[in-house]
């Protein structure tokens, strides 16, 4: 088997280039957002570059470990993430202040830096779910409905714990990301559709019931699920923005005005005139739409498609099932982030406060995303698979396995 020897040959330069392009887009968009003067003298572009540097250090540290070592560390990382989420709940408000209605950040005494542990929990969850899924596949000789139910139960229990802790903060947006990660790994795990279809139907039914309760009986959700009133108003403002104009729908109104006024090619760099709160973070795509128009927005979305395509290629070429599951989880996380963030700026989806990966300003979100990218860099760097190698039955990629079943059928 041919082995790549030099660093240059083993390093994923394509992924590095994609991230560098995101860095350029992020700096341009954040610079434009703060050009309106609403953030005073704070230089968020410089801070974002600092976070990218820290993220690069995180990538380098993770690359020190090969995928097998990362797999062995997954339970420890998961436990560490759960510990942080518990500390968020039990810590005093001086250490964990309420920001935008949620207690999700540790406020460090130095530099006023706030760290959001749930951003790191996303990657930790991807790793542990991938380990559970591949371990189950390796130890299950005969696949039955019962074994699939056992696997689904394992994945569900491990996901439910961080989900409950994050909902306690409460952080609906991150909770939805956690669910998307779980669903992404479940869909590639080979669980029988006789189980998945009823489960999906039940999930849709529960979702429909929740929407009905939100619209007509919100007091029940407040009493029994602890849902905050501001979360209801976000949904109402999404569905009926004209009734909440100038109030809860203000962000949405301004975002639609900004993107709509950008038209095809935009107003030009730093030519934005529409005031948008949080334009450097959650609503960064609104700035891109106003200044660079439909063309600029399409280029940004296209860059995400290139990233997802690259991750899919890695997943399909992997000889180890653990790698494929990790890629599936990261793809699910990024896809949901992009779809939700852009969707909320154009009224396709309600506002949840989910950042746009790599582009929105934010230390925790960027470090969490770079942590996931670090795992991908490690996978590529230590990969020993060749086009002539034959993966073993127990370690084959779940994506390849599902594709081969389709051909035989």
């Amino acid at each position: 088997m041919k082995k790549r020897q030099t660093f240059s040959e083993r390093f994923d330069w394509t992924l590095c280039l994609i991230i560098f392009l995101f860095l350029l887009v992020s700096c341009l968009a954040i610079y434009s957002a703060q050009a309106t003067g609403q953030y005073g003298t704070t230089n968020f572009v410089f801070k974002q570059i600092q976070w990218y540097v820290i993220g690069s250090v995180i990538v380098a540290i993770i690359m020190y470990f090969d995928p097998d070592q990362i797999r062995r560390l997954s339970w420890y990382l998961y436990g560490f993430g759960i510990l942080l989420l518990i500390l968020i709940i039990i810590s005093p408000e001086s250490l964990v202040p309420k920001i935008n209605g949620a207690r999700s950040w540790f406020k460090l005494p130095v530099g006023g830096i706030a760290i959001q542990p749930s951003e790191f929990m996303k990657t930790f969850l991807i790793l542990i779910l991938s380990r559970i899924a591949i371990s189950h596949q390796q130890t299950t000789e005969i696949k039955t409905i019962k074994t699939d139910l056992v696997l689904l139960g394992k994945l569900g229990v491990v996901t439910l714990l961080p989900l409950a802790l994050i909902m306690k903060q409460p952080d609906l947006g991150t909770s939805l990301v956690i669910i998307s990660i779980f669903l992404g790994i479940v869909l590639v795990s080979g669980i029988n559709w006789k189980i998945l279809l009823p489960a999906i139907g039940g999930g849709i039914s529960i979702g429909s019931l929740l929407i009905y309760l939100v619209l007509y009986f919100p007091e029940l959700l407040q009493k029994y699920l602890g849902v905050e009133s501001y979360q209801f108003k976000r949904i109402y403002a999404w569905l009926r923005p004209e009734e909440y104009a100038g109030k809860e729908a203000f962000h949405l109104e301004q975002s639609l005005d900004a993107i709509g006024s950008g038209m095809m090619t935009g107003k030009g760099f730093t030519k934005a005139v529409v005031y948008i709160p949080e334009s450097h973070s959650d609503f960064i795509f609104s700035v891109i739409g106003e200044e660079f128009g439909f063309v600029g927005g399409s280029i940004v979305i296209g860059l995400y498609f290139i990233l997802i395509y690259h991750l899919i290629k890695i997943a399909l070429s992997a000889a180890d099932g653990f790698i494929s599951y990790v890629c599936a989880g990261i793809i699910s996380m990024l896809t949901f982030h992009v779809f939700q963030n852009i969707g909320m700026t154009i009224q396709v989806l309600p506002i949840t406060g989910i950042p746009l990966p790599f582009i929105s300003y934010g230390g925790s979100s960027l470090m969490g995303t770079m942590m996931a990218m670090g795992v991908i860099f490690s996978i590529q760097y230590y990969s020993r698979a060749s086009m002539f190698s034959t993966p073993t039955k127990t370690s084959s990629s779940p994506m390849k396995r599902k594709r081969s079943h389709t051909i035989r059928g």
Side-chain angles (χ1 to χ4, degrees), residues 82-92 95-96 103 106:
I82 293 297
L83 176 61
L84 291 178
L85 293 178
I86 293 175
L87 290 176
I88 280 283
I89 296 175
I90 64 177
S91 296
L95 182 61
V96 184
R103 298 181 72 242
F106 283 115

Side-chain angles (χ1 to χ4, degrees), residues 24 27-28 61 98 103-104 132 151 206-207 210 237-238 242 254 272 281 295-296 343 400:
L24 294 181
C27 290
L28 289 174
I61 293 173
K98 180 172 285 190
R103 298 181 72 242
S104 304
I132 291 173
L151 173 58
I206 293 174
L210 289 175
W238 167 55
E242 64 282 353
Q254 297 301 100
S281 55
V295 174
K400 286 183 177 180

Side-chain angles (χ1 to χ4, degrees), residues 363-376:
S364 295
S365 62
L366 183 56
M367 285 192 294
T369 306
M370 292 296 279
M371 184 181 294
M373 292 301 99
V375 177
I376 299 298

Side-chain angles (χ1 to χ4, degrees), residues 196-409:
L196 291 183
L197 285 178
I200 293 173
I204 293 175
S205 299
I206 293 174
S208 301
L209 176 61
L210 289 175
I211 293 175
Y212 177 79
L213 292 175
V214 167
L215 294 176
Y216 300 104
F217 300 99
E219 64 278 0
L220 294 179
L221 295 178
Q222 287 180 302
K223 181 178 180 180
Y224 294 105
L225 296 182
V227 182
E228 299 287 344
S229 59
Y230 77 91
Q231 294 175 318
F232 291 122
K233 291 180 180 179
R234 284 183 177 179
I235 298 176
Y236 300 149
W238 167 55
L239 296 174
R240 302 189 295 267
E242 64 282 353
E243 296 181 16
Y244 292 85
K247 299 178 182 178
E248 285 76 15
F250 180 73
H251 286 74
L252 177 59
E253 288 178 307
Q254 297 301 100
S255 176
L256 292 175
D257 286 345
I259 295 175
S261 64
M263 301 178 69
M264 183 59 68
T265 58
K267 299 174 181 176
F269 183 54
T270 69
K271 301 298 183 181
V273 296
V274 179
Y275 169 76
I276 307 172
E278 306 298 332
S279 59
H280 68 312
S281 55
D282 295 346
F283 284 87
I284 196 71
F285 189 78
S286 303
V287 177
I288 295 172
E290 182 178 9
E291 297 194 354
F292 302 102
F294 176 80
V295 174
S298 298
I299 291 174
V300 170
I301 295 174
L303 191 56
Y304 283 113
F305 271 109
I306 294 173
L307 173 60
I308 298 302
Y309 174 72
H310 184 69
L311 296 180
I312 291 174
K313 284 178 58 180
I314 295 174
L316 291 176
S317 63
D320 186 351
F322 174 74
I323 293 175
S324 291
Y325 284 121
V326 168
C327 290
I330 294 175
I331 290 169
S332 300
M333 178 183 71
L334 293 176
T335 301
F336 184 84
H337 261 277
V338 174
F339 185 74
Q340 170 61 40
N341 180 275
I342 295 178
M344 76 180 188
T345 64
I346 58 176
Q347 203 183 352
V348 173
L349 295 169
I351 296 173
T352 57
I354 291 180
L356 191 60
F358 299 106
I359 298 179
S360 292
Y361 172 79
S364 295
S365 62
L366 183 56
M367 285 192 294
T369 306
M370 292 296 279
M371 184 181 294
M373 292 301 99
V375 177
I376 299 298
F377 276 112
S378 172
I379 288 170
Q380 290 289 80
Y381 188 78
Y382 290 101
S383 174
R384 292 294 185 269
S386 80
M387 61 182 296
F388 303 106
S389 64
T390 302
T392 62
K393 182 177 180 180
T394 58
S395 63
S396 61
S397 164
M399 293 187 178
K400 286 183 177 180
R401 186 169 61 249
K402 293 184 74 174
R403 184 172 56 182
S404 65
H405 289 343
T406 302
I407 294 174
R408 286 200 299 270

